Amino acid sequence: MRKRNLWICSVMLWLSPCVTAQEPARATYDNLVSRFREARLARSAESTRIRQSHAYKKAVAEHDFTARQALLADLPDAEAAFKAKFEAACERFSGSHDEALFLGWLLENVRPPRGKASAYAVQLVERHAKHEIWKTLAPNAQYYFGSDPSKEIAKLRAATPFDEVKAWLRYATTSHVLRNKKSAAEAIATAKAEQASIVRDYPNSIPAMKIGASEFKKTRLQVGMVAPEIEGSDLEGHNFKLSDYRGKVVVLDFWGDW
Amino acid sequence: MYPHERSLVKRLSKKPFALIGINSDQNLPYLQTRVAQEKITWRSFWNGPLGTSGPISSRWGVRGWPTIYLLDDKGVIRFINVDGESMDKAIDQLLAEMESR
């Protein structure tokens, strides 16, 4: 038994440099992301400190917007500081599968000029349309390609092997048409028909929930109705249900730390 | 928002009351540190790695953050999007209603 363990250990030792050699991009990415997280946390702490300061409270009390802005102006810009690091990593891992990770970060953290397509998004479509990163990026696909996202979205739809990405991309096209006040009546009718077919094709997908949301609000979320059940996990990963709190007055607060 | 929520939870700690969040931050490790930094003691569902496009807020059709639903002890929706003082008043009303039954 002992001999066998020793053998396994030595094989693992021999393998370990290969494993790290194959995954430097992933390791680099994880490292950059965690350093970026530290930078953002430091900024949040600094922002809290400023907001609690006497000078800031005074500016708020006096409705002095300029003074408030001036006090917050010195906060470090973590996104700008890390942009160069992620771009350098893109260059370093250019052409590899994991290059998409760095492009994805840049896409989500660096805004393109108003109305313009994100250069990172365009590169991601050109080089990594089949990548699993689109599982997290697809929900916002209609915002990545400027005023007319339809061509890029069509390219992605044709390439992606993932059903959930297809559902999101089909939804993105329809919601782009429905949000645009200048859409023609015919285009609106087509978009609505497409939404009905998304619900049929992917009934349990999040896009299907979004399509059904206004009906859900009308029939389940009005004052006087019993709130629908919510089942999920908390921030530590423990499962719980909204109905666990029956017998208590409950404030249900949809929030985010931004 | 946090200071109001903290004082609310503290004031009603002995009452049949709970503040339940549905959090839509994408990055869970970042969020966990923020929760510690801000001394957030109340429980939240996590809306998952898609953030604001996650399943709970999508099903409920949430478009603005924060969005508030205030439920009575039977789970019935009684107020939507009350905040600040009017939220405190609405909660007190529901607690009084419970006690008078």
Side-chain angles (χ1 to χ4, degrees):
Chain A
M1 200 53 192
R2 216 180 258 166
K3 230 181 195 169
R4 198 172 148 214
N5 279 346
L6 206 72
W7 185 82
I8 289 172
C9 280
S10 58
V11 168
M12 278 168 66
L13 266 176
W14 173 75
L15 274 174
S16 58
C18 304
V19 172
T20 45
Q22 274 170 2
E23 289 187 301
R26 175 58 79 165
T28 305
Y29 177 77
D30 289 345
N31 179 279
L32 274 178
V33 166
S34 90
R35 277 164 55 204
F36 173 64
R37 187 163 69 227
E38 293 302 317
R40 273 180 69 205
L41 286 167
R43 183 180 55 187
S44 298
E46 178 65 8
S47 156
T48 306
R49 197 189 62 76
I50 292 171
R51 282 167 209 274
Q52 285 168 351
S53 70
H54 178 71
Y56 188 85
K57 284 181 180 163
K58 187 166 163 257
V60 172
E62 288 168 1
H63 303 289
D64 189 343
F65 185 72
T66 325
R68 274 170 62 187
Q69 290 301 99
L71 282 165
L72 291 171
D74 289 339
L75 281 175
D77 183 346
E79 282 78 8
F82 276 78
K83 180 179 173 231
K85 296 182 206 293
F86 277 88
E87 282 186 337
C90 272
E91 213 151 284
R92 187 173 150 209
F93 299 108
S94 174
S96 80
H97 180 77
D98 286 334
E99 177 196 23
L101 301 176
F102 302 99
L103 285 170
W105 186 93
L106 286 159
L107 169 55
E108 290 195 294
N109 290 282
V110 182
R111 269 169 198 256
R114 240 185 119 75
K116 292 271 163 55
S118 160
Y120 308 115
V122 173
Q123 280 185 47
L124 268 168
V125 176
E126 267 170 27
R127 302 185 197 164
H128 303 282
K130 292 182 177 163
H131 200 281
E132 66 271 13
I133 197 167
W134 286 104
K135 287 182 185 179
T136 46
L137 295 178
N140 292 315
Q142 70 265 44
Y143 307 114
Y144 295 151
F145 304 105
S147 48
D148 184 16
S150 57
K151 242 172 69 189
E152 301 293 326
I153 287 179
K155 269 194 227 168
L156 273 174
R157 255 182 74 178
T160 185
F162 304 110
D163 272 354
E164 58 193 282
V165 175
K166 278 183 201 148
W168 274 117
L169 294 172
R170 285 175 62 182
Y171 173 72
T173 312
T174 63
S175 76
H176 183 75
V177 173
L178 296 177
R179 268 186 312 117
N180 185 352
K181 293 201 177 77
K182 289 179 199 145
S183 292
E186 202 178 317
I188 291 172
T190 313
K192 286 194 171 155
E194 168 69 352
Q195 290 202 337
S197 101
I198 295 169
V199 174
R200 276 197 303 275
D201 292 348
Y202 312 101
N204 300 316
S205 66
I206 300 179
M209 291 180 193
K210 280 193 173 287
I211 292 164
S214 63
E215 186 62 22
F216 189 77
K217 267 189 176 169
K218 250 184 263 165
T219 55
R220 303 289 307 276
L221 294 176
Q222 298 298 308
V223 168
M225 296 175 177
V226 173
E229 180 67 298
I230 300 176
E231 284 189 75
S233 72
D234 65 18
L235 307 184
E236 275 89 48
H238 303 295
N239 290 330
F240 75 114
K241 301 200 292 277
L242 178 59
S243 59
D244 295 343
Y245 291 84
R246 250 342 113 71
K248 288 184 176 183
V249 171
V250 170
V251 167
L252 204 53
D253 177 2
F254 288 83
W255 68 286
D257 183 63
W258 52 72
Chain B
M1 205 53 190
Y2 300 139
H4 180 225
E5 286 159 334
R6 271 197 299 262
S7 66
L8 186 67
V9 169
K10 203 173 157 198
R11 179 170 75 85
L12 299 174
S13 62
K14 303 244 160 63
K15 299 279 187 183
F17 168 78
L19 173 56
I20 304 290
I22 291 104
N23 174 280
S24 288
D25 282 285
Q26 285 189 295
N27 188 320
L28 194 54
Y30 171 78
L31 177 65
Q32 285 162 340
T33 316
R34 289 289 297 146
V35 163
Q37 268 182 359
E38 295 287 344
K39 301 184 182 65
I40 293 168
T41 53
W42 52 95
R43 200 172 193 190
S44 285
F45 290 101
W46 188 46
N47 203 24
L50 297 183
T52 53
S53 301
I56 306 173
S57 64
S58 295
R59 184 161 181 251
W60 285 55
V62 174
R63 289 193 175 165
W65 278 263
T67 285
I68 305 280
Y69 285 85
L70 178 50
L71 319 181
D72 66 19
D73 58 311
K74 293 180 177 140
V76 175
I77 298 169
R78 298 291 297 274
F79 297 88
I80 300 172
N81 283 339
V82 276
D83 61 1
E85 265 175 55
S86 51
M87 186 206 282
D88 288 34
K89 250 166 86 181
I91 296 167
D92 290 341
Q93 179 199 320
L94 294 181
L95 286 170
E97 204 178 278
M98 246 182 108
E99 277 160 19
S100 69
R101 272 202 298 266

